[in-house]
Amino acid sequence: MPIYLEDPRPIKRKARLEFPLLLSLFLPIVLLHLGIAALWAEHLGQSRLNEQAVILTQQAVTAFSTPESWRSEPAFTQALSHLRWRQAYLQDAQGARVWQQDRLMPPPAWPRPAPLTLRLDPEIQLVIAPPPLAPKLQDQLHRQALLVFTLALGAGLALSCALYLFAQRRLALTLAWAERLESGQLSDLPPFRNGISGAIAKTLQVLAQRLRFSHDALQQHNDYSRRRSEARLAALTAGRDAHKKTIEKLQQMLASRSEFMSGMSHELRTPLTAIVGFSDLLEKTELSSEQAEFVQTIRKSAKGLVGMISDLLDMERIEAGRLDLHEVGFDIHDILEDTISLLAPLAYSKHLELISLVFHDVPSRLRGDPTRVQQILTNLISNAIKFTERGQVLIRVSRQPDEQDRIWLKFQVEDSGPGLNQEQLSQLFTAFQRFERTGEKRITGSGLGLHIVKKLTDLLQGRIEVESEPGVGSIFSACLPFAPHAQQPHKADWDILRNTRCWVLEQHDLAWLSLQHLLEFWEVETRRFSSATKLWQTLKGAKPQKLPDFVLLGLRADEATEQSIADILSLQLDPPLAIGCLINSVDGHLHKHLKDRGAHTVLPKCSNRASLYRSCCELLNPDPANVLAGQALKSRQVMVAEDNPASRHYLKALLASLGAQVIVAENGQEAVKLWESEKPEFVLLDLHMPKMDGEQASLAIREADPAGATVMIGMSAYVSPEEERAWQDNGFNAILTKPFDEHQLLRCLHPWLQRPAHSARLEKPSPAAQLVKDPELARMMLEELPKQLRDLDQAFIQGELLSARSAAHQLHGTAAFFHLDPLKTHVFLMEKRLKEVDSIARHPRLRDDMANVSSAVEAIVTRLSAQTRAS
């Protein structure tokens, strides 16, 4: 772009008035003229006074011509009566006044007459103060003086302006020449060459010539730079277009690769689910030690492959910029338990203690992205287990100070491994970075775990810190923000164990702290024993009323065969005492060995709260015919819809081993028909099936089951947060990600296992528990639900399709948030149908939907009103 140093049009500048020069001429001249005028006015006044004084003197000489006229006061007064005076008196040689006479009149201002003195004899003189001029003369004199001053002032101003214009003429000519010089007329000679104006003109002429030279040089440089910039811009534009095309191709390639990875992930996870599942089932059968080792190797290898697939899939999404967040409500305990359950076999194979501790001030229900949180925990815990050969891995979850209405939690993963030096810490979060030490066994893995952790932590707007000391261990701390959740679980869900007594054998201090923390939450009175011998002696010598309600033995795998443990399990007490074992092993043979010795239940220490809670409840009322591992789904009818034969066979075997009555379907269409005939309590639907996929099957079942009596669980190898939310809105109660084991399955079904079998079909639909337990929230919903129904009804009557869609969406959101079944199902079907039609009047099926929605709202309002009055 060219740069102009001057405007091609000349700038006309006005010569401003120079006040200093004007004042320097005006003040002296005006003051001089005013002085002359003052002298002239004084001269006029004295002339008038002198004329009056001459007349007064002649009159006084006549009046005081004889001595008798002033010898006495009456004569003196008589002589003065014919004269004009203001004051008169006689003054002797000593200055004394005689016969003084005064007249009352104002003293003269200007001109002021001087006193007259008349010598009457050598010793006496007459002094007379003349009066002011007559008013008429005085006014005349003042007018003459004012006229003189005005003329003097005008003459001074005129002379000053003339002198100012004369003095400024040289400057004006110099300014006109400078303007021509500025317009480019450098050949004009300056008007003056002498004096200050001439010196200024010569200097300006030199500066103008230098400026023109600089302007020409700069213009040439500017033209060159402009041409070069235009060429460079053209090259950059061409390069940008080329890069844009390359980026578009790369994006298409990444999208294709991402789709390929997602598809491959699904295809790989499906057989891996069968491999892992059948390995778990096979491990529970009678196997030789060599066969059991083979099965464990198969299971660990398959789970390792699943982890590597997940890492690669996440890395692919990170690189493609498609890793999005999805904020939903979740339970932090479930996330931690699922992660520990998945990684526990790896820790137990190395005889490590895997301990978790969630502090009581941590809210159970939060809003955030549980999938990303679980990925962070999985990578941190798996890394800690990989690099720890002995000791323990401790996971703590604590609450940090809230910031900006966000709840901050710190997830600490502490291990007793070899630790890291400063060089390793500096490269810790680099992709594909693995640390190997000479002489130590090689650590397998993709090297992506911590890199993914760092990316996910940044995406969640959190922070991650590392503390490590070589030879001591490492502590990885991830601080993450969450939104508070409106619905918090109630402690009443865990009331069965309240005020019971439990004796616990646990030698590991941190494991005891974790177990005690959980039992105290259930309000169980605990007593710890660090020695099996001491527990055996105390049990043997205790009185019946002093015995606990149940006993938990926390064991290492190598302690399971000790005689002291066998003595405790074989101890005969009156009344009989139920004993459960918590062991850091998932070896089915070891579990069976403990049960054969007398243990009522055996669980890995990594078991989730729900499994441990059910086991403790069974220990309170032991039933030899009801074993937890085999009867968790006793008397429950479960339908499985899965198109993959291996996965279908595994799920059937898994559910049968849990005591369930299993119905099998090979596709969604068959699943709907079987559901209509059998009405199972639980339905496990694969989301990708031929003829009718899981989503279509769920909609068909929900349309026929508006009360939501059937619990539907979706199964998929990979589910994005958006898909999970959409599928749950379509009627699924929960989503399970393949592969999963029996613990994850039972944890997913736990909320519905608390009710008796088939009770859901007998109970009337009711609002969510949160509405029942919160009177204020119930009153709010009593006002909000009828209002939202009126909006929908009004839009429906008036035939306004867009308004009806908006009102249905709002009512569906309320029903989904508070789990208001069957309203949620009815309004969902109506909203779905409203999106598919182009007119309300042409589709009579919508009237049935509106009637169902109205009935559901009325039922909820009636029940809430009754409960509100009762409370």
Side-chain angles (χ1 to χ4, degrees):
M1 180 181 292
I3 302 174
Y4 294 100
L5 298 179
E6 60 180 22
D7 194 326
R9 297 171 297 178
I11 301 175
K12 292 295 292 182
R13 296 183 177 88
K14 295 182 179 180
R16 297 182 181 275
L17 192 63
E18 298 185 25
F19 285 100
L21 177 60
L22 182 60
L23 289 177
S24 64
L25 296 174
F26 171 76
L27 288 178
I29 295 174
V30 171
L31 290 178
L32 177 61
H33 281 72
L34 291 178
I36 294 173
L39 292 176
W40 179 255
E42 184 66 23
H43 173 70
L44 289 175
Q46 289 301 324
S47 298
R48 298 290 185 180
L49 290 176
N50 289 338
E51 292 175 1
Q52 180 177 276
V54 170
I55 295 172
L56 183 57
T57 301
Q58 293 174 356
Q59 291 176 352
V61 169
T62 303
F64 292 95
S65 59
T66 61
E68 288 78 9
S69 60
W70 50 272
R71 292 289 185 184
S72 64
E73 184 175 2
F76 180 75
T77 302
Q78 181 64 32
L80 289 174
S81 62
H82 302 288
L83 303 176
R84 292 184 70 251
W85 52 274
R86 183 168 56 84
Q87 186 184 54
Y89 57 86
L90 297 177
Q91 187 176 23
D92 58 13
Q94 286 76 27
R97 295 184 179 185
V98 182
W99 320 128
Q100 180 174 338
Q101 297 291 325
D102 294 292
R103 286 181 176 175
L104 294 176
M105 60 178 60
W110 181 87
R112 182 175 294 180
L116 300 177
T117 303
L118 181 63
R119 178 67 62 177
L120 300 179
D121 65 12
E123 298 294 334
I124 298 297
Q125 62 180 1
L126 175 63
V127 179
I128 298 175
L133 294 174
K136 184 177 181 180
L137 291 176
Q138 198 169 13
D139 291 341
Q140 184 180 6
L141 181 62
H142 285 171
R143 286 193 296 271
Q144 291 177 351
L146 181 59
L147 178 60
V148 171
F149 274 97
T150 302
L151 293 175
L153 182 60
L157 287 174
L159 184 58
S160 298
C161 291
L163 292 176
Y164 172 77
L165 293 175
F166 178 76
Q168 202 186 33
R169 177 176 173 274
R170 292 175 64 91
L171 298 176
L173 293 175
T174 304
L175 175 61
W177 171 79
E179 290 176 350
R180 295 194 301 274
L181 194 68
E182 183 182 15
S183 65
Q185 301 178 21
L186 301 180
S187 60
D188 285 5
L189 297 177
F192 306 101
R193 293 181 176 272
N194 56 355
I196 296 177
S197 300
I200 294 174
K202 291 178 181 179
T203 304
L204 288 176
Q205 189 177 27
V206 173
L207 290 177
Q209 291 174 349
R210 291 181 178 177
L211 183 62
R212 172 51 61 91
F213 174 77
S214 300
H215 172 266
D216 294 341
L218 185 59
Q219 190 67 36
Q220 293 177 359
H221 178 73
N222 186 38
D223 293 341
Y224 171 74
S225 299
R226 183 178 67 254
R227 290 192 298 270
R228 188 176 63 177
S229 298
E230 290 174 351
R232 186 177 181 184
L233 180 61
L236 290 175
T237 303
R240 182 201 62 188
D241 294 339
H243 285 304
K244 186 176 180 180
K245 293 180 180 179
T246 304
I247 291 173
E248 290 176 353
K249 291 181 180 178
L250 289 176
Q251 288 176 341
Q252 293 175 357
M253 185 185 303
L254 288 174
S256 301
R257 192 172 69 176
S258 180
E259 292 177 1
F260 171 76
M261 291 292 291
S262 298
M264 286 301 298
S265 171
H266 178 78
E267 296 300 327
L268 289 173
R269 284 172 185 261
T270 299
L272 285 174
T273 301
I275 294 173
V276 174
F278 279 113
S279 299
D280 291 336
L281 295 176
L282 185 60
E283 195 173 14
K284 296 177 182 179
T285 62
E286 292 290 340
L287 299 173
S288 65
S289 59
E290 185 178 13
Q291 290 172 332
E293 184 177 354
F294 292 162
V295 171
Q296 291 177 3
T297 301
I298 293 172
R299 185 183 61 189
K300 287 190 291 185
S301 299
K303 287 189 175 181
L305 185 57
V306 170
M308 293 183 67
I309 292 173
S310 299
D311 287 346
L312 290 173
L313 193 61
D314 292 335
M315 189 65 185
E316 179 71 24
R317 283 183 167 80
I318 289 174
E319 289 183 350
R322 298 174 60 188
L323 198 64
D324 300 324
L325 296 180
H326 185 63
E327 190 173 274
V328 296
F330 68 96
D331 192 311
I332 193 65
H333 295 87
D334 294 343
I335 298 299
L336 186 59
E337 289 169 358
D338 287 347
T339 306
I340 291 176
S341 176
L342 179 66
L343 299 174
L346 178 61
Y348 293 161
S349 66
K350 304 171 75 173
H351 303 291
L352 300 176
E353 289 285 350
L354 188 58
I355 305 162
S356 64
L357 184 60
V358 181
F359 290 89
H360 289 320
D361 62 342
V362 174
S364 295
R365 296 289 295 175
L366 296 167
R367 287 191 63 82
D369 192 329
T371 303
R372 306 308 174 202
V373 175
Q374 188 168 15
Q375 285 179 283
I376 292 173
L377 291 175
T378 300
N379 282 291
L380 292 179
I381 297 173
S382 63
N383 267 9
I385 295 173
K386 285 179 184 178
F387 289 97
T388 304
E389 296 300 325
R390 63 183 63 86
Q392 73 280 330
V393 174
L394 173 63
I395 303 98
R396 296 190 191 93
V397 183
S398 59
R399 185 169 183 172
Q400 303 299 300
D402 296 350
E403 298 178 11
Q404 299 178 351
D405 298 330
R406 305 291 286 184
I407 297 174
W408 281 79
L409 299 184
K410 176 184 280 190
F411 300 86
Q412 285 185 307
V413 179
E414 180 179 352
D415 63 60
S416 56
L420 298 167
N421 55 38
Q422 290 299 321
E423 181 181 356
Q424 292 170 333
L425 286 174
S426 63
Q427 305 174 10
L428 197 58
F429 299 105
T430 305
F432 307 107
Q433 180 65 48
R434 294 187 297 182
F435 302 122
E436 300 179 2
R437 301 168 182 83
T438 304
E440 297 184 7
K441 67 177 183 179
R442 183 176 180 269
I443 303 297
T444 60
S446 61
L448 294 174
L450 291 180
H451 177 69
I452 293 174
V453 167
K454 183 66 169 63
K455 292 290 185 181
L456 292 177
T457 304
D458 294 341
L459 186 65
L460 293 171
Q461 298 181 352
R463 53 185 179 269
I464 186 166
E465 302 170 351
V466 185
E467 301 176 24
S468 185
E469 183 178 347
V472 177
S474 304
I475 301 177
F476 287 78
S477 302
C479 292
L480 303 175
F482 300 94
H485 198 283
Q487 294 176 284
Q488 294 294 334
H490 296 277
K491 198 173 180 179
D493 296 337
W494 311 94
D495 282 349
I496 297 178
L497 296 180
R498 179 180 294 178
N499 299 325
T500 58
R501 290 180 300 163
C502 175
W503 287 1
V504 180
L505 170 65
E506 182 57 71
Q507 298 183 12
H508 198 281
D509 293 336
L510 292 177
W512 156 247
L513 180 62
S514 176
L515 182 60
Q516 182 192 32
H517 190 78
L518 188 57
L519 292 173
E520 285 181 351
F521 176 75
W522 294 333
E523 299 188 24
V524 178
E525 180 183 343
T526 59
R527 179 181 176 183
R528 180 194 182 189
F529 293 85
S530 57
S531 167
T533 303
K534 180 66 180 296
L535 175 60
W536 178 78
Q537 293 174 350
T538 306
L539 287 172
K540 188 175 181 180
K543 297 179 180 180
Q545 61 271 21
K546 297 294 184 179
L547 287 173
D549 296 304
F550 59 95
V551 175
L552 292 177
L553 304 181
L555 306 175
R556 299 191 310 270
D558 57 347
E559 295 176 332
T561 57
E562 291 182 358
Q563 184 60 40
S564 57
I565 302 301
D567 293 339
I568 294 175
L569 295 176
S570 61
L571 188 62
Q572 300 295 325
L573 297 174
D574 188 21
L577 183 64
I579 300 176
C581 293
L582 300 176
I583 186 170
N584 62 345
S585 173
V586 292
D587 187 351
H589 296 287
L590 196 56
H591 291 196
K592 185 176 183 303
H593 171 77
L594 290 172
K595 288 181 180 179
D596 293 342
R597 289 202 169 191
H600 290 76
T601 180
V602 181
L603 290 176
K605 286 187 176 182
C606 64
S607 297
N608 55 49
R609 291 176 303 163
S611 298
L612 180 59
Y613 183 78
R614 288 197 301 270
S615 296
C616 292
C617 291
E618 290 181 356
L619 291 176
L620 287 177
N621 299 291
D623 182 2
N626 185 18
V627 181
L628 176 67
Q631 299 298 316
L633 295 178
K634 182 180 180 181
S635 302
R636 308 283 184 168
Q637 194 174 31
V638 183
M639 181 175 71
V640 176
E642 170 66 66
D643 63 317
N644 184 275
S647 298
R648 188 168 61 247
H649 189 103
Y650 161 67
L651 290 172
K652 181 180 179 181
L654 173 62
L655 292 168
S657 69
L658 294 174
Q661 301 173 13
V662 186
I663 305 171
V664 178
E666 297 184 3
N667 54 65
Q669 191 175 34
E670 183 180 349
V672 174
K673 292 181 180 179
L674 287 174
W675 180 88
E676 292 174 349
S677 60
E678 300 294 335
K679 295 293 191 300
E681 185 179 358
F682 298 98
V683 175
L684 273 62
L685 290 173
D686 185 38
L687 296 175
H688 303 283
M689 292 184 294
K691 296 185 179 180
M692 181 183 288
D693 61 20
E695 182 179 0
Q696 295 170 336
S698 69
L699 290 175
I701 292 174
R702 282 292 180 241
E703 190 168 359
D705 178 34
T710 300
V711 178
M712 287 194 296
I713 308 297
M715 302 179 297
S716 179
Y718 176 79
V719 182
S720 68
E722 294 78 11
E723 291 173 331
E724 182 175 358
R725 176 69 178 272
W727 283 332
Q728 286 183 341
D729 288 342
N730 286 350
F732 284 105
N733 297 90
I735 305 295
L736 272 174
T737 303
K738 299 177 182 179
F740 55 85
D741 55 22
E742 70 175 60
H743 299 290
Q744 292 169 306
L745 175 62
L746 291 176
R747 207 263 325 149
C748 180
L749 297 177
H750 174 71
W752 299 278
L753 292 178
Q754 301 299 316
R755 63 189 183 185
H758 308 290
S759 63
R761 275 173 275 180
L762 302 177
E763 295 177 354
K764 295 181 180 180
S766 63
Q770 182 69 13
L771 292 178
V772 176
K773 297 179 181 180
D774 192 337
E776 183 178 353
L777 192 58
R779 285 192 293 271
M780 184 190 71
M781 293 306 299
L782 283 173
E783 298 176 0
E784 188 65 22
L785 280 176
K787 178 180 177 298
Q788 294 181 7
L789 179 62
R790 284 195 300 271
D791 294 341
L792 177 59
D793 189 48
Q794 184 177 3
F796 189 83
I797 292 174
Q798 296 176 356
E800 297 179 356
L801 183 60
L802 295 179
S803 300
R805 288 174 181 172
S806 177
H809 180 73
Q810 184 181 18
L811 186 58
H812 181 211
T814 303
F817 183 79
F818 291 102
H819 302 284
L820 301 178
D821 294 321
L823 175 60
K824 174 184 174 183
T825 303
H826 288 314
V827 75
F828 165 73
L829 294 174
M830 185 176 185
E831 182 184 10
K832 184 173 183 294
R833 192 167 282 117
L834 284 171
K835 292 179 180 178
E836 297 172 351
V837 303
D838 54 0
S839 173
I840 295 178
R842 297 178 184 175
H843 294 79
R845 186 67 182 273
L846 286 171
R847 289 196 292 271
D848 298 334
D849 293 336
M850 189 67 208
N852 293 334
V853 171
S854 300
S855 300
V857 171
E858 290 174 2
I860 293 171
V861 170
T862 301
R863 172 134 335 166
L864 285 177
S865 300
Q867 292 168 345
T868 302
R869 289 193 298 270
S871 61

